[in-house]
Amino acid sequence: MKQPGKLDYLEMPATAGTLDRLKAFYSAAFAWSFTDYGPTYSAFAEGLDGGFQADAAEAPAKPLPVLYSDNLEETLRAVESAGGTIVRPIFSFPGGRRFHFVDPAGNELAVWSH
């Protein structure tokens, strides 16, 4: 069950031709399985859902924690009010909409909704 404010998804970079190597590693080391969404994205559902992004133009530089929200606009306002900095305003992606922010310590996170 999706819960507002709880860690919901994790995206990690897989650039420079590492997507197949990462899938092989996690499959071998931890028996993970993957669902490919095109040639540059492969998702996993291993406790915490997540995926690897192999498109260099889209890949986060560091792992990207993604939180869920029932009301994206309200959550964006709450993030700003709490001192977060919006680095990618609300945008659509396959599966929903999301925005990215940086917390006061400099960590980038995203928030998504249907």
Side-chain angles (χ1 to χ4, degrees), residues 41-107:
Y41 198 91
S42 190
F44 54 84
E46 303 296 338
L48 172 67
D49 290 351
F52 292 108
Q53 176 59 269
D55 182 340
E58 294 291 326
K62 301 175 187 174
L64 179 68
V66 181
L67 308 174
Y68 179 75
S69 172
D70 287 328
N71 184 322
L72 208 55
E73 289 77 12
E74 183 178 295
T75 302
L76 185 141
R77 288 190 296 273
V79 165
E80 288 179 315
S81 293
T85 302
I86 305 305
V87 294
R88 285 189 73 183
I90 294 173
F91 64 95
S92 295
F93 70 96
R97 300 179 312 133
R98 73 186 199 189
F99 68 89
H100 294 206
F101 69 94
V102 174
D103 70 14
N107 298 302

Side-chain angles (χ1 to χ4, degrees), residues 4-51:
K6 300 298 180 186
L7 191 58
D8 186 67
Y9 199 85
L10 178 66
E11 287 186 348
M12 296 185 286
T15 57
T18 62
L19 183 58
D20 288 337
R21 290 192 323 222
L22 281 171
K23 288 168 50 179
F25 168 78
Y26 282 99
S27 292
F30 303 106
W32 283 16
S33 59
F34 296 89
T35 301
D36 291 334
Y37 292 99
T40 64
Y41 198 91
S42 190
F44 54 84
E46 303 296 338
L48 172 67
D49 290 351

